[in-house]
Amino acid sequence: MKKTYVLSLFLFALLSVSVYFLTYKVSRDIYEEESNQTEIKSEDLLISADTNTDQTVTNSTKYILEYYNSKEFTLKEQSLPTPADFVGLTREELIEFLKSYESSPSLEDKQLGLESFELVSFSKDKIVLRKTYHPYADNYRYFLVAENGFVTVYYADKSTVYEYTNISTEELPEELKEEVINGKYITTLDELYNFLENYSS
């Protein structure tokens, strides 16, 4: 009886230890498998991130240019051929290109009141850029000011010189003189030519 009791106790202990080690092994295998899957996912994310970083604009990249009027709150878009200047640029390089253009835009964009040129979305398949304009009131194209006693003609952006004239502000009629001193807008080229012809010496 005593031998049977001891043998039963021994078998129970052996079974308990076996179950413990088996459970430990299974848990460890599951943990290692999950860890491996996490590492694989992390590597995939890193590879994906590297791939996105290396993406560049190609000849086949679709190019969409948006035009936003910040005065009227309207947005239009146009599908255009990808400019040669964009081909080969990464996302960061394209952003730098747009910043450079924004600081020194074309004369046409200045006259239209360009405020910003920015990247909306970027991938090797499609890029979307947006030009934001704030048109000048009543389509003014020129701006007259008095500088060093003479009339200087600027484009409507007030920063690009159209012409330095030899027209002395002192020789202008008093009312016109006041307008020029305060800054006078001119709408058309004909109106500008009439002014220059009438008051040039």
Side-chain angles (χ1 to χ4, degrees), residues 17-196:
V17 170
S18 298
V19 169
Y20 171 78
F21 279 112
L22 184 62
T23 305
Y24 172 77
K25 186 177 184 319
V26 170
S27 298
R28 186 174 174 185
D29 289 345
I30 292 172
Y31 174 76
E32 286 179 355
E33 186 177 342
E34 288 179 350
S35 296
N36 288 338
Q37 287 179 352
T38 303
E39 287 176 8
I40 290 170
K41 286 179 181 176
S42 298
E43 286 176 6
D44 289 344
L45 288 173
L46 287 172
I47 290 169
S48 177
D50 289 342
T51 303
N52 288 335
T53 302
D54 293 339
Q55 286 185 351
T56 59
V57 179
T58 66
N59 287 325
S60 60
T61 301
K62 187 175 181 182
Y63 173 42
I64 303 293
L65 181 58
E66 297 180 344
Y67 303 90
Y68 179 66
N69 185 320
S70 63
K71 185 178 178 182
E72 299 175 358
F73 307 106
T74 57
L75 181 68
K76 297 177 182 177
E77 69 173 42
Q78 186 177 11
S79 182
L80 298 169
T82 304
D85 290 341
F86 292 177
V87 176
L89 298 183
T90 63
R91 184 178 189 280
E92 290 70 25
E93 289 170 339
L94 182 56
I95 290 172
E96 285 304 312
F97 181 92
L98 300 182
K99 285 180 182 176
S100 176
Y101 181 87
E102 193 177 300
S103 64
S104 183
S106 68
L107 184 57
E108 180 184 4
D109 275 338
K110 278 188 175 183
Q111 289 179 329
L112 291 172
L114 180 72
E115 288 185 325
S116 65
F117 194 14
E118 58 194 340
L119 177 65
V120 176
S121 68
F122 182 96
S123 74
K124 66 185 175 98
D125 300 317
K126 178 181 176 183
I127 57 172
V128 180
L129 308 183
R130 179 180 298 162
K131 285 185 174 182
T132 299
Y133 295 97
H134 191 84
Y136 300 109
D138 300 321
N139 297 317
Y140 289 130
R141 294 184 61 190
Y142 305 98
F143 187 69
L144 308 182
V145 294
E147 292 182 337
N148 301 319
F150 293 92
V151 177
T152 301
V153 183
Y154 284 87
Y155 285 100
D157 65 354
K158 301 181 184 179
S159 62
T160 307
V161 175
Y162 174 80
E163 184 178 342
Y164 294 104
T165 75
N166 61 356
I167 301 172
S168 170
T169 51
E170 294 302 320
E171 296 176 7
L172 296 174
E174 197 60 36
E175 186 177 338
L176 182 57
K177 176 182 173 181
E178 284 298 317
E179 287 181 13
V180 171
I181 288 174
N182 293 324
K184 176 178 174 60
Y185 280 106
I186 287 185
T187 306
T188 66
L189 190 58
D190 286 342
E191 186 182 347
L192 177 61
Y193 281 162
N194 286 337
F195 172 86
L196 295 176

